Amino acid sequence: MSIELRHLRAAVAIAEAGSFTAAAKALHITQPALTRTVQQLETSLGVRLFDRTSRALALTEDGAGFVEKVRVILGDLDSAVALYTNRSLVLGFSWLLPDPWAQQVIDDVEKNSRATVVPRRYDDPIAALNNATVDAAVVRRDVPGDEFVQHPLFEEQRIAAVSTASPLATRESIDWAEFGTLPLVINTLSGTTSEDLWPNHDGPVVTCSNFDDWLELIAADRGVGTVPEVARRRVTHRNVQFIPLVGAPPAVVRFVYRRNRATPLLRVLRDAAIRHSPPPGSATVGQRD
């Protein structure tokens, strides 16, 4: 007789439940059916897996070794099946998904694949990718490492963020070169800028690791910051003024995922992300509203 998957699951269920009665209930079969399944497995293997008495149940030495190996096999099998049958995807981001691009992508995937896309914010979406908390991430900076696949999607125009207490708050625009001479507030974890964008900058730099802290530091007039234009339309803070930047390099929106977790469903999401991106040289997503 060949050994089937039901035989392996039966052995593990009994070992974990500690009794045939509890294991049969967990497997939704009768106890006599479970007993026959284990007897068939033991006959095929030529060993006894369980010592059974009227009062106790225990794994034999052979049984303990067998169940330990089978647990690994079943875990790998379940993980492989989940990769192709799980009908939900988590899309990570650090702040403000671009609109209406994000809504178009999610709607496309959900209508055409019967899957659910769940947007979820993390201060560090790359860390969330690494620990498999998210399936893919939308980021606005380059992600180093061969383990990642990243697709540049489109560009977003940068704007300045200054405190309403700053003399700059009354300006209609600020030149990018001038901006780089000012005290800077930089979100080093999930922001879109670094001090390297101004090679000659030698002024004060205040750092933080999330958008909320960055916004409050700007409001407190600890320095100026720059952020994609989407913030002007969707962020309201009574002590922060958003002002156009002249000559600023754009921020690039990227779709990123781990190379070893590229499932068919993830590729559906990737393709939709690319398909709904504006072509190079066209207006950014925010400007198309």
Side-chain angles (χ1 to χ4, degrees), residues 164-186:
T164 53
S166 168
L168 295 169
T170 59
R171 298 270 293 270
E172 293 186 2
S173 66
I174 304 174
D175 187 84
W176 179 255
E178 176 190 359
F179 198 76
T181 67
L182 304 170
L184 298 174
V185 179
I186 295 178

Side-chain angles (χ1 to χ4, degrees), residues 155 278-284:
E155 297 178 342
S282 66
T284 62

Side-chain angles (χ1 to χ4, degrees), residues 8 14 17 39 53 75 98 101 109 115 142 147 155-156 159 168 172 189-190 198 248 254 260 266 276-277 284:
L8 304 182
I14 295 168
Q39 289 172 343
T53 68
W101 170 85
V109 173
D142 184 54
E147 67 272 30
E155 297 178 342
E156 293 178 308
I159 58 172
L168 295 169
E172 293 186 2
L189 184 61
S190 59
W198 298 275
R254 292 175 167 87
N260 62 347
L266 178 58
H276 288 283
S277 298
T284 62

Side-chain angles (χ1 to χ4, degrees), residues 83 112 287:
L83 285 175
N112 294 306
Q287 292 170 323

